[in-house]
Amino acid sequence: MSIELILVMFLIGFLGSFLSGMLGIGGSIVKYPMLLYLPPLFGVATYTAQEVSALAMVQVFFATLGGVWAYRKSDLIDKRLVLDMGISIVIGSLIGAYGSKFIPGEAVNLVYGIMAVIAAVMMLKPGRKENEEGEATGEPLTYPRGIGVGSSFIVGILSGIVGAGGAFILIPIMISVLRIPLRVTIASSLAIVLLSSIGGMTGKILAGQVIWAESTILIVSSLLGASFGAKMGQTAKRGFLQGTLATLILLTAVKVWYDILF
């Protein structure tokens, strides 16, 4: 492996996982295109879609693991919320992943596009500031558990169909529908995505699609990047975090529909 390839993979892992730790997303939205396009752009390697998917899945697991570890002493990860939504999204993603083989590729892309638009609209709609009041009260987190379990199950099915972690739509639901405080949402979503990524990474390993040399570099850089990102997420202003999340999700929606239409 060349030093150039090592540097490119380290950069991809660090930047993607920094965003993951800071914003509470799995990061495949960012990492997949970076892994697909940057190595050939720099002339260091070219990977198939299956190899990129496997590399991204491994990085998602370790990025969320690093983020959760960084948040472990912050009391921002709500264990009941993680169990409620984490278990149901895993079950839903298994169903969606299995059922995706019966769905035409065009329909899968359409589902992804619709999910991205819904997420962007939910993040951009006004009236979310009041849920931040609960961050400093120390009171137990309250939310409609039935809606939380049901919505994460549906997100899991859709995410399983399109092969995404689902955090980009799960986070807007947690903020806008369940009224979860932003920082609790970011920290808890990392733990939820960590649970949902276990099955995906295991499947990629069993399928023999993981390239271990590159994956090792991504693992190291992911743990470093996620740790720094999580620390910034705990101290950054809420407006900055909200704006960055909304921008990332909106750009995702634009890219998905551009790919569908053109």
Side-chain angles (χ1 to χ4, degrees):
M1 184 183 299
S2 67
I3 185 65
E4 291 83 3
L5 177 56
I6 293 175
L7 291 174
V8 169
M9 298 303 288
F10 188 92
L11 178 65
I12 291 173
F14 187 88
L15 290 179
S17 297
F18 179 85
L19 289 174
S20 176
M22 184 176 68
L23 302 176
I25 58 176
S28 59
I29 293 173
V30 177
K31 297 163 190 170
Y32 189 94
M34 289 176 72
L35 287 166
L36 188 63
Y37 298 122
L38 287 186
L41 178 64
F42 286 100
V44 293
T46 301
Y47 301 105
T48 66
Q50 289 81 5
E51 291 171 337
V52 168
S53 177
L55 288 169
M57 183 58 68
V58 170
Q59 190 187 12
V60 165
F61 173 79
F62 282 96
T64 52
L65 178 63
V68 169
W69 180 258
Y71 274 107
R72 71 191 186 282
K73 296 181 180 179
S74 68
D75 294 327
L76 290 174
I77 297 179
D78 188 274
K79 296 180 178 61
R80 188 182 69 171
L81 177 65
V82 171
L83 289 176
D84 281 349
M85 303 189 76
I87 294 174
S88 58
I89 197 173
V90 168
I91 295 173
S93 63
L94 289 173
I95 295 173
Y98 179 79
S100 63
K101 67 179 183 179
F102 304 108
I103 302 175
E106 294 80 4
V108 171
N109 291 335
L110 184 61
V111 169
Y112 197 13
I114 294 173
M115 288 175 66
V117 170
I118 293 174
V121 171
M122 293 177 69
M123 279 302 300
L124 292 172
K125 81 174 201 174
R128 298 192 314 277
K129 290 184 179 179
E130 61 269 26
N131 68 357
E132 299 303 327
E133 295 174 0
E135 287 188 359
T137 64
E139 298 179 357
L141 185 65
T142 58
Y143 57 92
R145 295 184 70 183
I147 296 177
V149 171
S151 61
S152 59
F153 178 72
I154 294 172
V155 169
I157 292 176
L158 297 176
S159 299
I161 291 175
V162 303
F168 73 98
I169 190 170
L170 195 64
I171 288 176
I173 290 175
M174 293 169 71
I175 294 173
S176 298
V177 178
L178 302 182
R179 315 301 298 175
I180 306 297
L182 177 63
R183 296 189 197 279
V184 176
T185 293
I186 290 174
S188 299
S189 66
L190 281 169
I192 294 170
V193 175
L194 173 62
L195 290 177
S196 67
S197 67
I198 293 174
M201 187 182 70
T202 302
K204 295 297 184 183
I205 293 174
L206 293 176
Q209 297 177 344
V210 177
I211 307 174
W212 288 109
E214 284 87 335
S215 294
T216 301
I217 299 172
L218 291 175
I219 289 170
V220 174
S221 58
S222 293
L223 292 174
L224 291 173
S227 178
F228 282 111
K231 290 179 181 178
M232 184 171 180
Q234 294 178 53
T235 58
K237 292 183 178 180
R238 289 192 291 270
F240 171 77
L241 295 174
Q242 288 177 345
T244 305
L245 269 169
T247 300
L248 183 60
I249 292 173
L250 182 61
L251 289 174
T252 300
V254 171
K255 179 187 181 302
V256 168
W257 279 102
Y258 180 85
D259 292 341
I260 290 175
L261 297 176
F262 302 104

